[in-house]
Amino acid sequence: MDTGKILEVFRYQYDCCPQYRRYADLLGVSPEGLTDISDIPFLPIRFFKQYDIISSADPSAVPQKIFYSSSTTGQIPSRHCVLDISLYEKSFLGGFRQFYGEPKDYVILALLPSYLEREGSSLVYMADRLIRESGRPESGYYLYDHDRLYNTLTELRRRGQRTLLLGVAFALLDFTEKYILEGTNDPWLTVMETGGMKGRREELSREELHRRLTEGFGLQAIHSEYGMCELLSQAYSKGDGVFRTPDSMRVVIRDINDPFRDAAPGERGIINIIDLANRNSCSFIETEDVGRAWPDGSFTVEGRLKGAERRGCNMLVE
């Protein structure tokens, strides 16, 4: 990822996003004299719960699409205003092609009941477009219809048709507790979990989740997608628990106790994301996830940040 491009985006968003500029000003950071991306502040993701984070030279700009995060009862969801939906489409299609090839080469099956049951899911928007790009009659959503999904997978296996099953964790587990797929230990099937029990089942570590799913689907590995409503890029893991980013995305790990110090390779810290596809929002996001980054640019995710764990700066713009 080009350093000059990152700095150019920071300057643009400092000038055109009032909340981000105020946050940077509170930290004493401005574009003047800033030459190193390590000095760029990452906006805490909770700002998306309180404000419309928009970067535009036109103060009257209206979003083409608004995405909302999933949230448990009583919580305020994040709200991501997308001025140009084509940037999201270009980002997720480019990322998919980078890691998996052309969508038209797959039958794409989606098992995303909790996302389909609410409005404004960026994951459903992505799945919709991938299903259309697939162009296969079997591609589509299966909601809670596990019988139909099983029959479809059985037929696709018989034909040796390359297939991607994209599913939320609890729904994939529900399916494997009802059905056992035989003879799937070959390259025709990729199962990708999107994380989250969404309050439907007990929370499991990714290792335990994948152990159960590999047994249930008869696969060597379960793939994972790492994305969120506040981003327009996604990272992918092909089963080793290590995520790799597309060209539009970079992960920076920062110290839990000092959010302005980059962690050393392999050191546990807060996951911060540079997402250049997020040009019209904020490209520098401090998540509430904990993980580690490695010298090759890959990263691992170890869970959510506990409230009592954070001891560093916790400023909010009022």
Side-chain angles (χ1 to χ4, degrees):
M1 189 179 288
D2 180 67
T3 298
K5 178 65 174 178
I6 294 172
L7 292 173
E8 184 273 324
V9 170
F10 167 70
R11 287 190 286 268
Y12 172 75
Q13 293 181 344
Y14 178 90
D15 289 338
C16 296
C17 180
Q19 293 82 14
Y20 186 51
R21 181 173 63 251
R22 291 177 63 190
Y23 183 70
D25 287 346
L26 284 171
L27 301 177
V29 178
S30 66
E32 290 76 20
L34 191 149
T35 58
D36 194 318
I37 62 174
S38 64
D39 295 326
I40 293 176
F42 288 85
L43 188 72
I45 201 166
R46 61 187 175 273
F47 275 56
F48 286 83
K49 295 179 182 291
Q50 299 173 278
Y51 307 102
D52 289 341
I53 305 298
I54 294 173
S55 293
S56 175
D58 178 6
S60 63
V62 176
Q64 287 187 354
K65 187 76 176 177
I66 298 176
F67 292 127
Y68 296 91
S69 67
S70 58
S71 60
T72 56
T73 303
Q75 290 187 336
I76 300 172
S78 289
R79 169 185 167 100
H80 188 186
C81 298
V82 180
L83 296 187
D84 183 356
I85 197 65
S86 70
L87 293 179
Y88 183 42
E89 295 175 349
K90 180 180 178 181
S91 176
F92 69 67
L93 287 172
F96 187 90
R97 290 180 175 121
Q98 182 177 338
F99 291 105
Y100 292 98
E102 289 295 332
K104 65 182 177 61
D105 294 333
Y106 294 83
V107 167
I108 298 178
L109 313 176
L111 195 58
L112 303 168
S114 59
Y115 292 92
L116 285 171
E117 291 162 356
R118 62 180 178 83
E119 296 292 326
S121 166
S122 58
L123 178 60
V124 168
Y125 190 97
M126 179 176 76
D128 279 343
R129 180 62 186 272
L130 290 174
I131 288 168
R132 294 200 306 273
E133 291 287 321
S134 165
R136 308 273 179 156
E138 304 89 346
S139 294
Y141 295 98
Y142 284 75
L143 202 59
Y144 295 103
D145 194 347
H146 292 171
D147 292 344
R148 185 167 67 95
L149 177 60
Y150 175 76
N151 292 334
T152 300
L153 287 170
T154 300
E155 172 60 20
L156 294 171
R157 175 176 62 84
R158 186 190 67 77
R159 287 160 36 193
Q161 169 60 53
R162 200 173 180 190
T163 301
L164 170 66
L165 173 59
L166 177 70
V168 65
F170 79 84
L172 293 173
L173 282 173
D174 288 348
F175 177 79
T176 59
E177 289 173 357
K178 187 174 181 181
Y179 290 105
I180 295 177
L181 293 177
E182 297 180 358
T184 59
N185 191 15
D186 55 56
W188 74 275
L189 177 64
T190 298
V191 174
M192 181 186 297
E193 57 90 4
T194 65
M197 295 301 181
K198 308 302 179 188
R200 306 295 183 98
R201 297 178 60 127
E202 63 174 321
E203 292 291 338
L204 300 173
S205 67
R206 178 169 273 112
E207 291 76 13
E208 176 61 16
L209 171 65
H210 284 205
R211 184 191 68 78
R212 296 186 189 185
L213 292 179
T214 52
E215 291 179 359
F217 285 101
L219 297 170
Q220 289 293 315
I222 300 296
H223 293 216
S224 300
E225 180 256 1
Y226 181 85
M228 55 192 67
C229 114
E230 300 87 352
L231 301 175
L232 296 186
S233 298
Q234 303 79 33
Y236 294 99
S237 167
K238 293 193 173 184
D240 53 5
V242 177
F243 289 88
R244 291 163 177 84
T245 59
D247 295 337
S248 60
M249 184 180 184
R250 180 191 290 186
V251 165
V252 176
I253 305 295
R254 290 201 165 165
D255 187 280
I256 288 176
N257 296 314
D258 181 358
F260 311 109
R261 184 186 76 82
D262 287 355
E267 182 182 357
R268 181 173 178 270
I270 306 298
I271 295 175
N272 293 260
I273 295 175
I274 300 174
D275 179 9
L276 295 187
N278 240 2
R279 179 178 178 85
N280 294 330
S281 178
C282 184
S283 293
F284 310 96
I285 303 296
E286 176 193 271
T287 76
E288 294 177 346
D289 293 331
V290 177
R292 304 172 197 266
W294 309 101
D296 65 355
S298 63
F299 68 103
T300 54
V301 183
E302 298 183 1
R304 303 284 286 175
L305 179 68
K306 297 178 182 178
E309 193 172 15
R310 186 65 176 271
R311 294 291 183 269
C313 176
N314 196 33
M315 286 187 291
L316 287 174
V317 175
E318 298 298 336

